mmCIF file of all heavy atoms in Angstrom:
data_model
loop_
_atom_site.group_PDB
_atom_site.id
_atom_site.type_symbol
_atom_site.label_atom_id
_atom_site.label_comp_id
_atom_site.label_asym_id
_atom_site.label_seq_id
_atom_site.Cartn_x
_atom_site.Cartn_y
_atom_site.Cartn_z
ATOM 1 N N ASP K 521 -37.106 46.667 52.579
ATOM 2 C CA ASP K 521 -37.062 46.482 54.037
ATOM 3 C C ASP K 521 -38.477 46.345 54.603
ATOM 4 O O ASP K 521 -38.690 45.603 55.575
ATOM 5 C CB ASP K 521 -36.342 47.657 54.717
ATOM 6 C CG ASP K 521 -34.857 47.690 54.359
ATOM 7 O OD1 ASP K 521 -34.345 46.658 53.886
ATOM 8 O OD2 ASP K 521 -34.227 48.768 54.528
ATOM 9 N N ALA K 522 -39.447 47.059 53.963
ATOM 10 C CA ALA K 522 -40.830 46.989 54.436
ATOM 11 C C ALA K 522 -41.564 45.760 53.897
ATOM 12 O O ALA K 522 -42.711 45.514 54.263
ATOM 13 C CB ALA K 522 -41.579 48.261 54.032
ATOM 14 N N GLY K 523 -40.902 45.016 53.004
ATOM 15 C CA GLY K 523 -41.517 43.810 52.455
ATOM 16 C C GLY K 523 -42.527 44.077 51.353
ATOM 17 O O GLY K 523 -43.278 43.177 50.955
ATOM 18 N N GLU K 524 -42.568 45.322 50.838
ATOM 19 C CA GLU K 524 -43.540 45.653 49.789
ATOM 20 C C GLU K 524 -43.093 45.149 48.421
ATOM 21 O O GLU K 524 -43.906 44.950 47.527
ATOM 22 C CB GLU K 524 -43.769 47.171 49.752
ATOM 23 C CG GLU K 524 -44.406 47.700 51.021
ATOM 24 C CD GLU K 524 -44.716 49.190 50.928
ATOM 25 O OE1 GLU K 524 -44.993 49.656 49.803
ATOM 26 O OE2 GLU K 524 -44.671 49.878 51.966
ATOM 27 N N ILE K 525 -41.788 44.996 48.227
ATOM 28 C CA ILE K 525 -41.276 44.371 47.000
ATOM 29 C C ILE K 525 -40.234 43.342 47.405
ATOM 30 O O ILE K 525 -39.624 43.436 48.481
ATOM 31 C CB ILE K 525 -40.651 45.403 46.020
ATOM 32 C CG1 ILE K 525 -39.453 46.108 46.662
ATOM 33 C CG2 ILE K 525 -41.681 46.390 45.531
ATOM 34 C CD1 ILE K 525 -38.690 46.989 45.688
ATOM 35 N N VAL K 526 -40.045 42.348 46.515
ATOM 36 C CA VAL K 526 -39.090 41.282 46.784
ATOM 37 C C VAL K 526 -37.733 41.687 46.234
ATOM 38 O O VAL K 526 -37.624 42.195 45.106
ATOM 39 C CB VAL K 526 -39.548 39.958 46.138
ATOM 40 C CG1 VAL K 526 -38.531 38.850 46.397
ATOM 41 C CG2 VAL K 526 -40.917 39.575 46.677
ATOM 42 N N ALA K 527 -36.700 41.462 47.021
ATOM 43 C CA ALA K 527 -35.353 41.796 46.574
ATOM 44 C C ALA K 527 -34.963 40.943 45.383
ATOM 45 O O ALA K 527 -35.299 39.763 45.313
ATOM 46 C CB ALA K 527 -34.361 41.580 47.711
ATOM 47 N N GLU K 528 -34.267 41.556 44.421
ATOM 48 C CA GLU K 528 -33.799 40.834 43.231
ATOM 49 C C GLU K 528 -32.512 40.105 43.588
ATOM 50 O O GLU K 528 -31.451 40.708 43.690
ATOM 51 C CB GLU K 528 -33.548 41.809 42.076
ATOM 52 C CG GLU K 528 -34.774 42.537 41.595
ATOM 53 C CD GLU K 528 -35.667 41.663 40.740
ATOM 54 O OE1 GLU K 528 -35.232 40.548 40.373
ATOM 55 O OE2 GLU K 528 -36.799 42.081 40.429
ATOM 56 N N THR K 529 -32.599 38.803 43.800
ATOM 57 C CA THR K 529 -31.424 38.017 44.172
ATOM 58 C C THR K 529 -31.167 36.970 43.120
ATOM 59 O O THR K 529 -31.995 36.698 42.275
ATOM 60 C CB THR K 529 -31.639 37.320 45.524
ATOM 61 O OG1 THR K 529 -32.786 36.458 45.415
ATOM 62 C CG2 THR K 529 -31.865 38.318 46.631
ATOM 63 N N GLY K 530 -30.008 36.340 43.228
ATOM 64 C CA GLY K 530 -29.655 35.266 42.295
ATOM 65 C C GLY K 530 -29.217 35.826 40.970
ATOM 66 O O GLY K 530 -29.956 36.516 40.289
ATOM 67 N N GLY K 531 -28.022 35.536 40.599
ATOM 68 C CA GLY K 531 -27.499 35.980 39.311
ATOM 69 C C GLY K 531 -27.228 37.464 39.263
ATOM 70 O O GLY K 531 -27.160 38.065 38.205
ATOM 71 N N ALA K 532 -27.109 38.113 40.403
ATOM 72 C CA ALA K 532 -26.818 39.540 40.381
ATOM 73 C C ALA K 532 -25.450 39.784 39.804
ATOM 74 O O ALA K 532 -24.558 38.977 39.880
ATOM 75 C CB ALA K 532 -26.879 40.100 41.799
ATOM 76 N N SER K 533 -25.290 40.949 39.215
ATOM 77 C CA SER K 533 -23.978 41.247 38.638
ATOM 78 C C SER K 533 -22.957 41.377 39.742
ATOM 79 O O SER K 533 -23.218 41.915 40.802
ATOM 80 C CB SER K 533 -24.046 42.538 37.827
ATOM 81 O OG SER K 533 -24.444 43.590 38.653
ATOM 82 N N THR K 534 -21.766 40.887 39.497
ATOM 83 C CA THR K 534 -20.684 41.016 40.465
ATOM 84 C C THR K 534 -20.077 42.394 40.291
ATOM 85 O O THR K 534 -19.162 42.598 39.509
ATOM 86 C CB THR K 534 -19.646 39.915 40.242
ATOM 87 O OG1 THR K 534 -19.253 39.949 38.885
ATOM 88 C CG2 THR K 534 -20.206 38.546 40.570
ATOM 89 N N VAL K 535 -20.609 43.319 41.072
ATOM 90 C CA VAL K 535 -20.327 44.737 40.842
ATOM 91 C C VAL K 535 -18.851 45.057 40.920
ATOM 92 O O VAL K 535 -18.272 45.656 40.021
ATOM 93 C CB VAL K 535 -21.117 45.594 41.861
ATOM 94 C CG1 VAL K 535 -20.796 47.063 41.666
ATOM 95 C CG2 VAL K 535 -22.594 45.339 41.716
ATOM 96 N N ALA K 536 -18.226 44.639 41.997
ATOM 97 C CA ALA K 536 -16.826 45.021 42.164
ATOM 98 C C ALA K 536 -15.939 44.379 41.131
ATOM 99 O O ALA K 536 -14.989 45.000 40.657
ATOM 100 C CB ALA K 536 -16.363 44.637 43.568
ATOM 101 N N ALA K 537 -16.227 43.128 40.770
ATOM 102 C CA ALA K 537 -15.388 42.433 39.786
ATOM 103 C C ALA K 537 -15.462 43.099 38.441
ATOM 104 O O ALA K 537 -14.506 43.070 37.667
ATOM 105 C CB ALA K 537 -15.820 40.972 39.672
ATOM 106 N N ALA K 538 -16.602 43.702 38.147
ATOM 107 C CA ALA K 538 -16.774 44.343 36.841
ATOM 108 C C ALA K 538 -16.374 45.808 36.865
ATOM 109 O O ALA K 538 -16.369 46.477 35.840
ATOM 110 C CB ALA K 538 -18.227 44.221 36.382
ATOM 111 N N ALA K 539 -16.022 46.325 38.052
ATOM 112 C CA ALA K 539 -15.823 47.762 38.191
ATOM 113 C C ALA K 539 -14.733 48.299 37.286
ATOM 114 O O ALA K 539 -14.888 49.340 36.659
ATOM 115 C CB ALA K 539 -15.495 48.101 39.647
ATOM 116 N N ASP K 540 -13.620 47.584 37.215
ATOM 117 C CA ASP K 540 -12.484 48.096 36.451
ATOM 118 C C ASP K 540 -12.838 48.320 34.995
ATOM 119 O O ASP K 540 -12.503 49.353 34.408
ATOM 120 C CB ASP K 540 -11.303 47.131 36.560
ATOM 121 C CG ASP K 540 -10.738 47.106 37.974
ATOM 122 O OD1 ASP K 540 -10.993 48.077 38.717
ATOM 123 O OD2 ASP K 540 -10.061 46.120 38.304
#
Side-chain angles (χ1 to χ4, degrees):
D521 293 342
E524 295 184 31
I525 62 172
V526 179
E528 297 284 350
T529 60
S533 59
T534 53
V535 178
D540 292 340

